[in-house]
Amino acid sequence: MQAIYAGGVNERVVTDASDTDEVDTNTARLWAEFTDPAEPAQRLRVDLTWLTSAYQCIFGQGCPGVYADRPDDGCCTLGAHFSDDADVARVREVANTLGPDAWQMHDLGQDDAWRATVPGDRPSDPAETTTTTVDGACIFLNRPGFPAGPGCALHQHALVNDLPPHTTKPDVCWQLPLHRSYRDVALADETEYVEITIGEYERAGWGPGGHDFDWYCTASPLAHSADDALYRTAEAELVELMGAPAYEVLVELCDQVMAERPAPLRAAPGGRAMLPLFVHPATVAAAAGSRTG
C-alpha cells in the first residue's frame, strides 16, 4: 500500500466498462472479537472477511476516480476532513518542510492557507477543519505533468524519506480503506468495556455524499488485485489503529482464515463454480475475472 503513488497516472488502462463494476458487499461476513492484550477494558471487533481480502489502492494504476470527469484525482477530489488538532499539527509539520519541487501548490498553501474551516452538515454541527481545494481537488494533490510526479505530496514525501505514510497524512487519508469506530458496551452484570471495530471503509462511511460517487474502490473487483491480503499489506496502518499486541492477535486469526480457505473458485462436479463462504465478494469477482479472462 505504501507505493500507490509511485507510478504515472492511469498506467493500467481500463478496456472494458465491466472492469469498473461494483459488487454487492451486503453479504455474510466473518467477524472475530478478542480482548485487547494491551488494555483489558477494550475489546477488538474485526472484519476478517475484509482484512483477508485482496484489496489494494490502485491510484495511478487504472483508478477511475470517485467522479468520472476527474479520473486522475482518485478520491483526492474531496480534500480531507481533519479529525482533531493533533491531526492538523502533523500535517502542518510536513507541509512546512515541502518545497515547490515536491508540492505543486506550494505557493498557494503558505501560512496555513492549505487548511480551511467549514460549517458542519447541520446547523447544530460544529465547524470542521479541512484541506482546501484548488481547481477542484485537494491542495496537496500534485497533478499530471508535475515534475515530481502526480499524487499526494504528503504521501510522496513519506516515500522519498522512507517514512510510513500514516505519519505524514491526514487521518482520513491514511486510514482508508480501513474504518475504525468506538462503542461503549454495558453488560448485564453492570460492567462495561470499550468496543473498537476495525472494518471496511464503505461508501456509507463518507456520509450521504458517498452515494453520489460514480465509482468506489472497496466494492470493485478492479481494486482487489493484490498479491497479498490486506491485513499484511496494511500492517503499519493496522498497528497504528489497534496497537502492536492486538495486531499480533489479528495476524494469527487472519492466518488461520487464509489457511482454511478454499481456492477462490473451485470447480465442482459438472463444471459448476463453488464460491467460498466469507471471502469478500469483490475478491471473489476479481478471481473469477482472472480465471475467465
Side-chain angles (χ1 to χ4, degrees), residues 7-69:
V9 171
N10 287 332
E11 289 181 346
R12 177 179 174 183
V13 178
V14 178
T15 57
D16 186 340
S18 64
D19 289 343
T20 63
D21 288 350
E22 296 177 47
V23 301
D24 181 9
T25 59
N26 187 26
T27 57
R29 297 209 176 196
L30 181 62
W31 290 83
E33 293 186 6
F34 59 92
T35 299
D36 186 346
E39 179 50 71
Q42 294 182 164
R43 287 184 63 82
L44 278 297
R45 178 174 178 267
V46 291
D47 182 352
L48 300 182
T49 298
W50 171 240
L51 295 170
T52 57
S53 74
Y55 175 88
Q56 66 175 348
C57 177
I58 56 170
F59 186 103
Q61 301 174 64
C63 174
V66 293
Y67 295 118
D69 60 345

Side-chain angles (χ1 to χ4, degrees), residues 62-86:
C63 174
V66 293
Y67 295 118
D69 60 345
R70 300 191 64 95
D72 294 328
D73 292 353
C75 55
C76 299
T77 303
L78 303 172
H81 287 243
F82 290 97
S83 59
D84 53 28
D85 291 342

Side-chain angles (χ1 to χ4, degrees), residues 77-102:
T77 303
L78 303 172
H81 287 243
F82 290 97
S83 59
D84 53 28
D85 291 342
D87 194 15
V88 174
R90 179 177 61 255
V91 172
R92 178 187 291 114
E93 182 177 356
V94 178
N96 288 342
T97 69
L98 297 177
D101 57 332

Side-chain angles (χ1 to χ4, degrees), residues 197-283:
T197 297
I198 307 291
E200 178 180 346
Y201 207 117
E202 299 179 283
R203 276 180 179 264
W206 294 89
H211 298 290
D212 296 331
F213 294 164
D214 294 316
W215 180 82
Y216 188 60
C217 57
T218 68
S220 174
L222 185 65
H224 284 248
S225 54
D227 294 330
D228 209 345
L230 181 59
Y231 73 98
R232 292 290 188 182
T233 59
E235 176 180 353
E237 292 84 354
L238 285 165
V239 169
E240 183 68 17
L241 288 171
M242 63 196 313
Y247 177 72
E248 291 180 6
V249 176
L250 174 68
V251 169
E252 293 177 3
L253 294 169
C254 289
D255 282 350
Q256 182 177 352
V257 171
M258 296 294 287
E260 296 178 354
R261 175 176 294 174
L265 285 177
R266 176 171 294 173
R272 296 176 59 188
M274 298 177 63
L275 301 185
L277 292 175
F278 304 129
V279 181
H280 194 281
T283 292

Side-chain angles (χ1 to χ4, degrees), residues 5 27 38 45 107 117 147 175 178 187 192 194 201 212 216 230 280-281:
Y5 294 105
T27 57
R45 178 174 178 267
D107 293 346
T117 300
Q175 290 181 17
L178 304 170
L187 301 178
E192 297 182 351
V194 176
Y201 207 117
D212 296 331
Y216 188 60
L230 181 59
H280 194 281

